[in-house]
Amino acid sequence: MTRLLASVASLEELTLAARGGADILDLKDPKAGALGAWPQDAIAHAVDTARRWSVRAPLSATVGDLPMDPAPVTRRVAETWACGVEYVKIGLSPSGDSVGCVEALAPEARRGTRIVAVLFADLWTDPGTLLPDIAKAGFAGAMLDTAGKGSGGLLRHKTKDELARFLAQARGYRLLTGLAGSLRLDDIPALLPLAPDYLGFRTALCAGADRGGALDPAALAAVRNAVPRQPLNG
């Protein structure tokens, strides 16, 4: 079954999303880009806060919209993982040395770092071409997202058939799968039959669909109701 990933921009939103039933809590600064990063000390503080809860969802954290340069990418991933999150998300774009970045992260993955590659549907003609390298490097998962948040949501850039093909390829490599990218509440019925492991939301969770605004508990509840819950051990 598909789980709900909620991107949160503050400790207050982290708590709200947890109380609202999000299955994974994604630490991301929407005002700093598609995958804007929280400061390292704030990520560590969020991890410490969540560890005090009796039951909690896993935490993921983005590393920022980095250029495809292997050395700084590897350093930032290692620093973010050291904060104690369960997953580190790194955006991969076709500009620069994306293959080199994936290869450089293989030692981190072998040391146990759970890395999720985020491929941008509005930048990659065929994002599946990088999946063999991602799997070989030992990444935990691969998601499709969008880089340009003003250029429309995921379904504007890829058809359902293209999304299904990407997910099938990723599952074939035993990768955790996810779809995100300015998803709306009314996108959910079209995407659930594709059975990604996660659907990721930010815009749809905010009042007025303003991804840079505050998380709205009512909007989160509407999305939560549309994505069927499953047991935590399911």
Side-chain angles (χ1 to χ4, degrees), residues 48-186:
D48 288 342
T49 298
R51 282 175 176 165
R52 299 189 190 104
W53 301 338
S54 57
V55 177
R56 72 172 181 89
L59 269 62
S60 64
T62 60
V63 299
D65 294 332
L66 302 178
M68 296 291 89
D69 184 345
V73 163
T74 303
R75 182 170 60 252
R76 186 71 65 85
V77 167
E79 291 170 349
T80 303
W81 177 252
C83 294
V85 294
E86 278 79 16
Y87 298 99
V88 179
K89 292 167 60 183
I90 171 67
L92 299 173
S93 67
S95 61
D97 189 7
S98 55
V99 172
C101 289
V102 171
E103 292 174 348
L105 287 167
E108 291 297 324
R110 286 196 293 270
R111 284 192 284 268
T113 306
R114 298 166 83 182
I115 306 168
V116 174
V118 180
L119 298 155
F120 297 112
D122 49 343
L123 300 181
W124 290 92
T125 302
D126 181 6
T129 59
L130 204 58
L131 288 175
D133 299 285
I134 290 167
K136 183 179 179 181
F139 280 35
M143 294 185 68
L144 274 185
D145 201 334
T146 56
K149 300 305 180 183
S151 62
L154 181 68
L155 285 168
R156 178 175 177 178
H157 300 284
K158 299 297 178 192
T159 66
K160 287 192 290 184
D161 285 345
E162 288 173 320
L163 297 178
R165 185 163 56 249
F166 173 85
L167 293 172
Q169 288 177 288
R171 282 192 288 264
Y173 289 113
R174 301 183 181 276
L175 294 166
L176 192 70
T177 61
L179 300 176
S182 298
L183 298 184
R184 302 172 302 177
L185 182 64
D186 58 7

Side-chain angles (χ1 to χ4, degrees), residues 203 206-211 216:
T203 301
C206 298
D210 175 12
R211 73 185 296 269
D216 178 8

